[in-house]
Amino acid sequence: GAGVSQSPSNKVTEKGKDVELRCDPISGHTALYWYRQSLGQGLEFLIYFQGNSAPDKSGLPSDRFSAERTGGSVSTLTIQRTQQEDSAVYLCASSYGGQHLGGGYTFGSGTRLTVV
Amino acid sequence: RKEVEQDPGPFNVPEGATVAFNCTYSNSASQSFFWYRQDCRKEPKLLMSVYSSGNEDGRFTAQLNRASQYISLLIRDSKLSDSATYLCVVSPTSGGSYIPTFGRGTSLIVHP
């Protein structure tokens, strides 16, 4: 597609429920990143996928968080047993990856998750 | 020391003013640098890449100082529409890690 697409745009869930967030990166972008941003805060790195390499999961805050990327394209971020502190905007970005960063990183419009 | 540091501001300036932001980074292996703009409740968008020789795009000028490990953004003739948060982004592009680190942003408010 022309841009990075994320769905849903908004999600309200009850504490303890599982949620799945989806990201469809720009076609041809090999690198995909998940970040989250709490109100008034900076971007917190969660996980990074590059091609077929093993993902860098160093930013995942707990084992309730997991992500996968199928076929080197679409990615889903899953949060199990959601907690109120998980409430944030979850942003996905993609890039050509590696050293081809002239175009920087393109973000989707995010999923606003609210855990009640 | 944080990896990427920015003055959060806000910088409150009148239309037409010139304003400059700095951003310091701690990883000397950093190779790629960017300025992003983020409007309220929107996603960050690329404003400009920062090249070693410095670069200009209209009213915006970006500079890189590797010796002192900082990048800067200069905005001339500020417009009301420039009001936003400006994020500094640093990426190592070496050692196998291409994960960009974002600063927390500098808030700019341009008033009439």
Side-chain angles (χ1 to χ4, degrees):
Chain A
V4 178
S5 177
Q6 289 189 247
S7 61
S9 54
N10 281 284
K11 177 72 176 179
V12 180
T13 190
E14 291 181 351
K15 179 181 172 181
K17 300 283 190 183
D18 298 352
V19 294
E20 270 194 6
L21 313 180
R22 176 187 167 105
C23 172
D24 196 346
I26 291 174
S27 178
H29 279 192
T30 60
L32 186 149
Y33 311 81
W34 282 98
Y35 286 82
R36 72 176 176 182
Q37 188 173 33
S38 300
L39 190 63
Q41 302 298 309
L43 273 71
E44 176 188 2
F45 166 72
L46 297 177
I47 189 168
Y48 160 56
F49 295 90
Q50 171 57 53
N52 295 321
S53 302
D56 183 330
K57 305 178 182 180
S58 59
L60 295 179
S62 78
D63 59 8
R64 296 187 295 105
F65 288 72
S66 63
E68 62 177 22
R69 188 179 184 191
T70 53
S73 181
V74 172
S75 176
T76 54
L77 176 69
T78 301
I79 309 173
Q80 295 179 310
R81 305 180 303 281
T82 51
Q83 303 295 313
Q84 288 187 329
E85 61 263 28
D86 299 335
S87 296
V89 176
Y90 288 79
L91 291 161
C92 174
S94 70
S95 73
Y96 281 111
Q99 297 182 26
H100 306 290
L101 292 172
Y105 312 90
T106 303
F107 283 85
S109 55
T111 294
R112 186 172 301 277
L113 176 66
T114 305
V115 182
V116 297
Chain B
R1 181 182 174 185
K2 292 181 182 175
E3 289 190 55
V4 178
E5 291 200 62
Q6 296 183 252
D7 180 344
F11 285 63
N12 204 320
V13 303
E15 273 187 290
T18 295
V19 62
F21 312 133
N22 277 349
C23 165
T24 59
Y25 60 94
S26 59
N27 186 347
S28 60
S30 300
Q31 296 293 324
S32 295
F33 308 89
F34 307 91
W35 282 103
Y36 274 69
R37 169 192 170 128
Q38 186 172 27
D39 292 291
C40 188
R41 298 177 73 86
K42 297 287 189 181
E43 74 273 21
K45 292 185 178 177
L46 178 66
L47 179 65
M48 59 197 303
S49 302
V50 186
Y51 303 122
S52 298
S53 55
N55 48 302
E56 188 173 308
D57 183 1
R59 298 181 293 107
F60 299 84
T61 300
Q63 298 278 352
L64 168 63
N65 185 318
R66 286 191 184 276
S68 300
Q69 293 184 204
Y70 75 85
I71 66 173
S72 63
L73 177 67
L74 179 78
I75 305 174
R76 290 181 298 277
D77 188 22
S78 299
K79 311 292 185 190
L80 295 177
S81 58
D82 294 335
S83 298
T85 297
Y86 291 84
L87 307 176
C88 163
V89 186
V90 174
S91 183
T93 65
S94 65
S97 171
Y98 303 110
I99 300 170
T101 301
F102 287 75
R104 293 186 61 176
T106 297
S107 176
L108 172 65
I109 301 170
V110 182
H111 59 82

